[in-house]
Amino acid sequence: MIQIKNDITILENYEKNDLIKICDDILAGKIYVAKEFEIIESVIDDLWYNDDIKNRSWKFWIHSFIMIEYLTRCYRENENCRYMYKSLEILKSWGQICEDLNLQNIIWHDHATAIRGIILCKMYEIFNWEEKDRVYIEDIIYMHGKKLVSHNFYMKKHNHGLDQDIALYLISVTCKHFKESYKWKRISKRRLWLQLDNLYEYDGTYLEQSPEYAYIVLLRLVEFTEVMKKYEDKDYRNIENGLGVKLRYLYDICHPDNILPGMGDGEYKKIDFTPLLTNHNMEKLYDELEEKICRHSIYCKGGYASFKDFSKGRNTHLIFSSAFHSRVHKHHDDLSLILYKDNTPILIDSGRYNYNYNENERKYVVSSYAHNTVVVDEKNTDIKRLNIKKSGLKSYYIDDNIGIVSGVHCLYDGVVHERIVIYLSSEDILVIDSLSGYKEHKYDQVFNLHPNINCSIKSNILFGNNGETSIIIKDLLDGDNEIVLYNGQKEPLRGWSATNYNEFQKNYMYVNCKKGKKAKYSTYINTDGNLKINDFNWKEDVIKFKFKSIKYTVVQGKENIILIKNNKLIKLNSIRNEKLEEAMAEAIQFEYKDKYRKERNKRLKIEEQFKNNLGNIDIISIKCNLESPQPVDSKIEFECNANGYDLEYAWYIYSGDEIIVKTQYTKENIISWIPKYRGTYSIKAFVRNKEGNKKSYRLEGYIIK
């Protein structure tokens, strides 16, 4: 195999024979993107405009040069020059359309440009190009460097930006004869350090809320560290020193058998940890993690709790999360649960589906109903940027026998949702939900089950089974509620999931509906058919129950949660989150603030209308203190009623066509008149404002006798 420095993996690895088959198909004029897409035939020059496949990801990968990646990788295996010449053909075809204004959004997509830059550096390095071809490739690479270094093009706080950093670095070291290469290298590293601070918590939590991307980004960092070593860049240590905690987080969030949970924009898929174990320290850490048969972990700042149990032949994994750090790959999934048991997903996140954001299927799998949480008023949580950090874990306690963790989010206006998850055993989980709002709400507690689990409701209890694994979901509280079981409902969408890419499948969805200003749920989840919780009682903020022979009391304090286990007091560890605490305080005052906000908006609307009418004058009428007719020498007053701002008034009194009284403009809207002669008169008022607008009104036929 040819050894190269720029060894960054794009997409998944293939077996050698599969890779050769893919590349031979490309040589034969076929278009291959990935396993989930069909193979099509197309002339290369027509490829960039192809609209037969209505899939945003397909177009993204075509313009990211994924076919050049396959060809380059295959050449590295068997050194067949035809693969590299085909790569050059694809590149030159792209070079003819790269300035097409109709394709700019996809050609120069921020991430596609970064991926293309990485692949181009590999293509450039791996083959001994003729001079004219080498210069052509360099020109294209230089074009990418200029684009990637641009401040306006750069994606801050985003995994796309991380790939932009890596691509710019590779360009600077691959083509170090570029006059800007040293500057580009320096900028790429400075940006990359900042990206890592925004993408990861100090404990290794990946903050873009998707385990699949946590794996992709960690693999990218591991490989990039090795690239930096090959170029003798000692700054590799800045990355390598933090790889251990990132590996630990990925291991903890990953299901048994190395199955990624489909959280956020991630898929349920098996991953290989081997490429991550590039040095002794990483191998040693992974071995230590694998040795523990019971591993429970809390990621306080990240917002994740993971309970894994392999003891006594068990194979259980429970994930509880409340994490809103970024809108990148974010779903409406706060305070959601995922349960995996006996190599089977049971309670699932409904997956990614695809990246066609306008499709109803995509909108659904992102929605609150597609996650195991509580939905308020049939709406999604509000995940605007201003609400970042208004969700998180609040407290926790873990020992060898029990785990308890609480979380809160304030992502519905005026509503606080607190959830306590008590991990009693690998078969027994208690979920306590408390919701409070200032007005009447409809609350839907939702649990989505894997498509291969058949379910039924008996006496308001859910029974699910797939032939090997069973589940029972029981509300321990008596009350006014309605339990509904959905499976593939279309209007509106309920009971669907996408555990595989671009596949929309029916699954059972359990919904427990309650109404009121407040709602409480006490949900017992059992997976062995042997219900062990007894004597359950919830009065005010005190919850009592018996599990096996142990008596438990949970006290929901304002600042913390207290656990009493057989008269032994256990105070949970607090997790500080100032933004969340502020949000909880705001929610309590929401009713007052909402009324104030509505009244203020009303006043602002009136004020706005008033400002818009500043230049207008509306004369309503002229009225008189004495009705016509009146005798000579009567004191008569005429008043002009007009609407407007900063008005002045002038008066004319006519006898026929002759003006007998005339005044200058003043602020006074009343004129006094003592007539000396009999006759029929008319009175005219003139009104003006500072904008220069004028209006007049005339009162006819006033008789003096």
Side-chain angles (χ1 to χ4, degrees):
M1 180 186 290
I2 298 174
Q3 298 299 315
I4 60 173
K5 292 182 178 180
N6 297 326
D7 198 8
I8 302 291
T9 302
I10 305 297
L11 281 186
E12 56 196 293
N13 278 311
Y14 288 81
E15 295 293 332
K16 181 178 179 179
N17 290 338
D18 293 336
L19 186 59
I20 292 173
K21 174 67 168 59
I22 290 169
C23 292
D24 286 346
D25 282 347
I26 294 174
L27 291 179
K30 296 179 180 179
I31 308 303
Y32 181 90
V33 171
K35 293 175 181 177
E36 55 263 34
F37 299 109
E38 62 179 301
I39 300 174
I40 65 172
E41 294 190 18
S42 175
V43 177
I44 291 296
D45 289 344
D46 296 336
L47 175 62
W48 318 109
Y49 299 94
N50 191 301
D51 201 34
D52 292 339
I53 298 180
K54 306 291 184 181
N55 190 290
R56 182 175 176 270
S57 295
W58 187 88
K59 293 178 181 179
F60 168 82
W61 284 113
I62 284 294
H63 284 273
S64 297
F65 287 176
I66 192 58
M67 290 199 299
I68 294 180
E69 166 73 2
Y70 291 132
L71 292 164
T72 303
R73 198 185 296 177
C74 202
Y75 172 75
R76 189 180 179 191
E77 293 284 347
N78 63 15
E79 300 186 47
N80 185 336
C81 296
R82 294 175 63 206
Y83 297 139
M84 298 311 298
Y85 294 138
K86 187 67 174 181
S87 296
L88 185 61
E89 178 190 347
I90 295 171
L91 176 61
K92 287 185 175 180
S93 173
W94 179 87
Q96 294 175 359
I97 60 94
C98 66
E99 295 183 3
D100 188 331
L101 296 178
N102 295 320
L103 292 176
Q104 291 300 292
N105 288 340
I106 186 65
I107 291 176
W108 296 109
H109 179 275
D110 56 84
H111 201 199
T113 303
I115 297 297
R116 219 167 36 235
I118 294 170
I119 292 172
L120 281 169
C121 288
K122 190 184 301 185
M123 173 186 176
Y124 178 82
E125 180 196 357
I126 203 170
F127 190 66
N128 186 22
W129 297 100
E130 294 182 10
E131 177 66 14
K132 62 181 178 61
D133 294 332
R134 182 182 62 78
V135 171
Y136 180 82
I137 298 171
E138 285 180 358
D139 288 344
I140 299 294
I141 291 176
Y142 183 79
M143 182 193 306
H144 282 70
K146 292 285 286 184
K147 195 75 174 178
L148 289 165
V149 79
S150 168
H151 176 75
N152 293 331
F153 187 72
Y154 184 59
M155 288 289 289
K156 296 179 180 179
K157 301 180 180 180
H158 204 294
N159 68 83
H160 294 184
L162 184 70
D163 275 343
Q164 288 178 319
D165 299 331
I166 292 172
L168 186 61
Y169 180 93
L170 293 178
I171 290 171
S172 72
V173 295
T174 301
C175 299
K176 57 185 178 183
H177 56 283
F178 291 164
K179 64 179 181 180
E180 297 96 336
S181 62
Y182 177 77
K183 177 183 177 182
W184 289 355
K185 182 178 178 180
R186 180 165 45 85
I187 290 173
S188 69
K189 289 198 289 186
R190 185 178 72 243
R191 287 175 171 177
L192 189 140
W193 310 145
L194 294 174
Q195 285 284 13
L196 292 180
D197 287 341
N198 287 299
L199 290 175
Y200 286 96
E201 269 291 351
Y202 67 88
D203 59 4
T205 305
Y206 184 67
L207 298 180
E208 288 185 341
Q209 294 130 173
S210 170
E212 183 179 2
Y213 281 86
Y215 175 72
I216 292 170
V217 171
L218 181 54
L219 179 59
R220 192 84 87 235
L221 291 174
V222 168
E223 292 181 339
F224 183 57
T225 302
E226 296 303 308
V227 169
M228 294 180 76
K229 289 179 182 178
K230 291 173 184 176
Y231 282 104
E232 299 181 354
D233 189 332
K234 295 181 180 179
D235 284 337
Y236 76 86
R237 296 187 183 93
N238 292 338
I239 301 175
E240 191 173 69
N241 291 339
L243 293 178
V245 291
K246 297 175 178 63
L247 176 65
R248 186 187 301 273
Y249 164 77
L250 181 63
Y251 180 88
D252 285 340
I253 208 72
C254 201
H255 288 325
D257 306 319
N258 299 340
I259 302 295
L260 285 172
M263 301 166 66
D265 274 337
E267 288 187 57
Y268 288 87
K269 62 191 300 184
K270 189 168 186 175
I271 61 171
D272 184 5
F273 276 90
T274 305
L276 303 176
L277 313 180
T278 55
N279 60 56
H280 174 71
N281 289 334
M282 296 286 276
E283 286 184 315
K284 182 180 178 182
L285 172 60
Y286 183 76
D287 290 341
E288 290 173 356
L289 295 171
E290 285 279 87
E291 287 176 2
K292 294 187 177 181
I293 60 174
C294 185
R295 176 168 175 77
H296 303 328
S297 51
I298 304 290
Y299 289 85
C300 299
K301 295 295 185 181
Y304 295 90
S306 170
F307 302 91
K308 281 186 178 179
D309 191 349
F310 301 96
S311 61
K312 298 179 181 178
R314 299 185 180 100
N315 189 344
T316 302
H317 188 202
L318 174 70
I319 301 172
F320 172 52
S321 65
S322 195
F324 185 13
H325 310 288
S326 161
R327 285 174 53 84
V328 182
H329 302 300
K330 172 67 177 171
H331 289 197
H332 301 272
D333 58 356
D334 296 85
L335 296 180
S336 183
L337 292 175
I338 290 178
L339 180 61
Y340 184 94
K341 189 174 188 294
D342 298 332
N343 302 314
T344 301
I346 300 177
L347 298 178
I348 61 169
D349 183 298
S350 289
R352 174 174 68 199
Y353 188 62
N354 62 28
Y355 286 120
N356 296 337
Y357 299 117
N358 291 325
E359 290 189 20
N360 289 332
E361 292 86 352
R362 166 67 186 186
K363 292 177 181 178
Y364 176 78
V365 299
V366 172
S367 73
S368 294
Y369 274 108
H371 301 88
N372 304 312
T373 184
V374 180
V375 184
V376 179
D377 296 331
E378 300 183 354
K379 297 179 181 178
N380 288 329
T381 49
D382 186 355
I383 54 173
K384 61 190 175 190
R385 295 188 189 280
L386 289 175
N387 282 347
I388 288 175
K389 299 294 184 183
K390 292 184 179 180
S391 169
L393 300 186
K394 184 180 177 183
S395 56
Y396 71 95
Y397 171 79
I398 294 175
D399 63 25
D400 292 337
N401 299 312
I402 188 174
I404 178 170
V405 59
S406 73
V408 178
H409 81 67
C410 301
L411 301 178
Y412 288 108
D413 286 342
V415 177
V416 178
H417 179 192
E418 180 171 5
R419 170 168 278 186
I420 303 172
V421 177
I422 306 175
Y423 183 87
L424 296 164
S425 77
S426 60
E427 292 87 20
D428 302 278
I429 301 156
L430 183 60
V431 181
I432 306 293
D433 285 301
S434 302
L435 297 104
S436 60
Y438 76 95
K439 62 181 182 180
E440 292 287 316
H441 292 285
K442 179 176 183 285
Y443 299 103
D444 289 340
Q445 185 195 52
V446 178
F447 289 105
N448 286 280
L449 294 105
H450 191 271
N452 69 5
I453 297 179
N454 292 314
C455 298
S456 61
I457 298 289
K458 298 177 183 178
S459 302
N460 274 352
I461 302 173
L462 178 136
F463 295 88
N465 193 290
N466 66 356
E468 297 180 359
T469 302
S470 64
I471 182 171
I472 296 173
I473 299 178
K474 179 181 180 181
D475 188 349
L476 298 178
L477 291 175
D478 295 325
D480 185 11
N481 66 319
E482 179 186 9
I483 292 178
V484 183
L485 193 61
Y486 295 98
N487 182 248
Q489 177 178 295
K490 293 185 177 180
E491 292 292 341
L493 290 174
R494 297 284 188 272
W496 295 91
S497 58
T499 54
N500 297 317
Y501 180 80
N502 216 35
E503 292 182 14
F504 207 47
Q505 301 170 285
K506 296 179 181 180
N507 69 280
Y508 281 99
M509 172 200 277
Y510 165 99
V511 179
N512 190 349
C513 311
K514 299 187 179 184
K515 294 182 180 180
K517 289 186 177 181
K518 298 182 179 181
K520 292 181 177 182
Y521 296 89
S522 180
T523 309
Y524 182 14
I525 300 172
N526 173 271
T527 57
D528 69 355
N530 181 18
L531 301 182
K532 311 172 197 69
I533 292 180
N534 298 296
D535 302 331
F536 183 87
N537 179 268
W538 186 349
K539 187 175 182 180
E540 295 182 345
D541 295 328
V542 179
I543 300 165
K544 295 182 178 182
F545 63 93
K546 185 177 180 182
F547 177 73
K548 296 181 179 179
S549 59
I550 303 173
K551 293 182 179 179
Y552 289 96
T553 301
V554 178
V555 182
Q556 296 177 289
K558 289 185 178 180
E559 299 297 329
N560 210 334
I561 292 174
I562 296 172
L563 174 67
I564 302 172
K565 181 179 175 183
N566 278 347
N567 298 320
K568 180 182 178 182
L569 180 65
I570 300 171
K571 188 175 181 180
L572 274 66
N573 301 292
S574 295
I575 302 171
R576 292 302 308 274
N577 181 336
E578 292 184 6
K579 186 75 177 284
L580 180 56
E581 291 167 5
E582 290 172 3
M584 293 172 67
E586 288 174 2
I588 294 172
Q589 299 296 322
F590 187 83
E591 180 178 10
Y592 165 76
K593 290 185 176 181
D594 192 39
K595 289 180 180 178
Y596 170 78
R597 188 184 300 111
K598 289 177 180 177
E599 184 62 32
R600 183 173 182 272
N601 288 340
K602 182 180 177 181
R603 292 198 303 269
L604 288 174
K605 186 176 181 180
I606 294 172
E607 182 180 330
E608 185 67 23
Q609 291 174 341
F610 177 72
K611 287 180 179 178
N612 290 336
N613 292 326
L614 282 180
N616 297 332
I617 301 171
D618 181 19
I619 298 180
I620 299 174
S621 65
I622 294 177
K623 66 179 183 178
C624 182
N625 66 328
L626 299 174
E627 291 185 5
S628 174
Q630 291 294 326
V632 173
D633 292 330
S634 299
K635 185 177 181 180
I636 304 169
E637 291 185 349
F638 297 100
E639 179 181 358
C640 177
N641 293 317
N643 287 332
Y645 180 70
D646 205 8
L647 302 179
E648 293 182 325
Y649 305 84
W651 295 89
Y652 285 12
I653 299 178
Y654 297 86
S655 175
D657 293 330
E658 181 186 0
I659 300 173
I660 62 169
V661 176
K662 181 179 180 180
T663 69
Q664 300 296 317
Y665 278 102
T666 67
K667 295 286 186 181
E668 185 61 54
N669 71 328
I670 296 176
I671 184 173
S672 295
W673 177 47
I674 301 176
K676 299 298 182 181
Y677 304 99
R678 290 179 291 178
T680 300
Y681 297 86
S682 60
I683 296 87
K684 189 174 184 179
F686 296 87
V687 185
R688 73 180 184 185
N689 59 22
K690 287 187 176 181
E691 281 70 32
N693 295 324
K694 294 181 180 180
K695 270 195 175 182
S696 63
Y697 186 87
R698 189 164 180 153
L699 177 66
E700 302 282 359
Y702 197 92
I703 299 173
I704 301 298
K705 61 181 181 179

